Amino acid sequence: MDLLMFAFVAVIPVISYGFTVHGPSGPLVAPLGSSVVLPCYVDEPLPLDDLEVQWRRTDSETLVHLYQYGERPEVQQQDYHDRAHFFTDQIQHGNFSLRLDNLRAEDGGNYTCKVYSQQDSGETVVQIKDVDRLLVSGSSHSISAPVGEDVTLNCSVDSHIKPEHIEEVSWRKTDEDEDILVLLYLNNETFPDSSDERFRDRVEFFTDEIPKGNFSLRLKSVRTEDKGVYICHLFAGVLSANTTVILRPSE
Ligand SMILES: *[C@@H]1O[C@H](CO)[C@@H](O)[C@H](O)[C@H]1NC(C)=O
Ligand SMILES: *[C@@H]1O[C@H](CO)[C@@H](O)[C@H](O)[C@H]1NC(C)=O
Ligand SMILES: *[C@@H]1O[C@H](CO)[C@@H](O)[C@H](O)[C@H]1NC(C)=O
Ligand SMILES: *[C@@H]1O[C@H](CO)[C@@H](O)[C@H](O)[C@H]1NC(C)=O
Ligand SMILES: *[C@@H]1O[C@H](CO)[C@@H](O)[C@H](O)[C@H]1NC(C)=O
Ligand SMILES: *[C@@H]1O[C@H](CO)[C@@H](O)[C@H](O)[C@H]1NC(C)=O
């Protein structure tokens, strides 16, 4: 009887739910303002009644989100309040991925997903490597160009957004009483026919430069009435950016 008792006790620690926590295959990159999913999962579902999952910033140990069976996650850090969510219906399947909304620049960094179940624990680290923003560089604030000559108005992508992800670029002339389309680029195509008639046949992109993210405008044969404010507006998914230049034709 004693021997049987011993065997019973000794066996208990062996019935563990040994598990491995998995993360993404590489660092994550996502645009500013978007929602990103930080993967964290185990192969086999774990019993819920003894489960705890902690998501923390690896550097500061700041608690980002917490799952404890039957508890509401009230200990969430202010910075992440309302921005961090589990996929509640996925937890029972061993999927503890975190959705982080409205991504901010300071969200870049490493996150540890630590899972506790029975006597065991495991963790994985997820890196948000880059929070992309769209930066655009333009011309110096104001440029002058002799009437009749050609002029280049600068507008080029100045961040690691790939040019093929740029969905739309519009050059507009905006003044107090007018806002007219100078040149439009949409989904890899230039639409010269949509230019206002004052600019039609006088404006173009530098086709060879577009793959480099250079959407500078070439305005041919400058006229006196071209004087004014030009704005180049770029869109890539949730991101957008613009640059402005004032053109002063000189006689
Ligand atoms: C976890 O759930 C999310 C949301 O449904 C899903 O995108 C992701 O693929 C799931 N991961 C796994 C490993 O099932
Ligand atoms: C995040 O982890 C990666 C890979 O371990 C490491 O190279 C990087 O320096 C870490 N970043 C920070 C901000 O700690
Ligand atoms: C346009 O950009 C080029 C390259 O960055 C620069 O050399 C040039 O001075 C810029 N032109 C103006 C008018 O700012
Ligand atoms: C534009 O071209 C890029 C690269 O060739 C491609 O990945 C992308 O899907 C294209 N976009 C559209 C809207 O056709
Ligand atoms: C964009 O292309 C134009 C025309 O080749 C050039 O003058 C300008 O310097 C380029 N801008 C940048 C930032 O490379
Ligand atoms: C241009 O970008 C600035 C921020 O850089 C923004 O405040 C402004 O509203 C943008 N202009 C337009 C017309 O979207």
Side-chain angles (χ1 to χ4, degrees):
M1 188 63 192
D2 277 2
L3 190 66
L4 202 64
M5 229 8 220
F6 175 76
F8 179 68
V9 170
V11 155
I12 286 176
V14 180
I15 311 172
S16 89
Y17 287 84
F19 55 87
T20 308
V21 181
H22 304 285
S25 51
L28 308 178
V29 177
L32 195 71
S34 67
S35 293
V36 64
V37 175
L38 285 65
C40 174
Y41 56 96
V42 293
D43 299 314
E44 297 290 332
L46 296 171
L48 288 183
D49 57 3
D50 189 29
L51 177 68
E52 180 167 327
V53 180
Q54 296 178 357
W55 275 99
R56 289 180 185 276
R57 290 286 306 214
T58 308
D59 47 4
S60 60
E61 288 285 299
T62 303
L63 190 64
V64 174
H65 212 22
L66 175 68
Y67 174 87
Q68 278 176 315
Y69 180 68
E71 302 283 324
R72 302 195 126 266
E74 280 162 7
V75 273
Q76 212 173 21
Q77 188 65 24
Q78 193 71 40
D79 292 354
Y80 294 98
H81 185 63
D82 286 344
R83 292 201 301 130
H85 306 273
F86 284 110
F87 296 94
T88 324
D89 58 336
Q90 291 289 316
I91 289 179
Q92 57 188 308
H93 300 122
N95 179 352
F96 315 122
S97 302
L98 186 77
R99 191 184 86 226
L100 188 57
D101 292 336
N102 191 14
L103 203 62
R104 302 174 183 167
E106 58 271 25
D107 291 336
N110 294 335
Y111 294 77
T112 306
C113 171
K114 191 154 186 178
V115 179
Y116 300 87
S117 177
Q118 311 293 76
Q119 312 299 324
D120 254 324
S121 72
E123 62 179 57
T124 187
V125 175
V126 180
Q127 184 185 11
I128 300 183
K129 191 164 166 245
D130 284 307
V131 178
D132 275 339
R133 10 170 170 212
L134 189 55
L135 296 173
V136 55
S137 65
S139 294
S140 47
H141 187 58
S142 161
I143 56 176
S144 66
V147 168
E149 305 234 318
D150 298 353
V151 66
T152 298
L153 308 184
N154 280 346
C155 177
S156 59
V157 180
D158 201 10
S159 45
H160 50 259
I161 300 273
K162 294 198 181 77
E164 61 260 33
H165 293 151
I166 303 288
E167 288 153 5
E168 181 180 337
V169 179
S170 69
W171 270 103
R172 311 186 72 90
K173 183 173 188 292
T174 62
D175 294 300
E176 279 158 21
D177 50 355
E178 65 176 4
D179 177 0
I180 61 177
L181 186 61
V182 176
L183 191 56
L184 178 68
Y185 170 93
L186 197 61
N187 300 327
N188 297 341
E189 263 188 272
T190 304
F191 292 90
D193 290 347
S194 65
S195 298
D196 185 85
E197 58 185 16
R198 280 161 57 188
F199 291 101
R200 208 166 296 156
D201 303 325
R202 286 203 300 136
V203 286
E204 60 191 25
F205 289 114
F206 297 89
T207 316
D208 296 346
E209 294 284 327
I210 288 177
K212 300 179 210 163
N214 180 350
F215 293 94
S216 297
L217 179 80
R218 179 178 163 90
L219 171 59
K220 292 186 262 189
S221 185
V222 171
R223 301 173 185 167
T224 313
E225 63 267 28
D226 291 339
K227 177 177 186 292
V229 180
Y230 292 76
I231 178 162
C232 171
H233 215 139
L234 283 83
F235 301 88
V238 296
L239 303 176
S240 79
N242 67 70
T243 184
T244 300
V245 57
I246 298 170
L247 178 63
R248 300 183 196 285
S250 56
E251 298 294 337

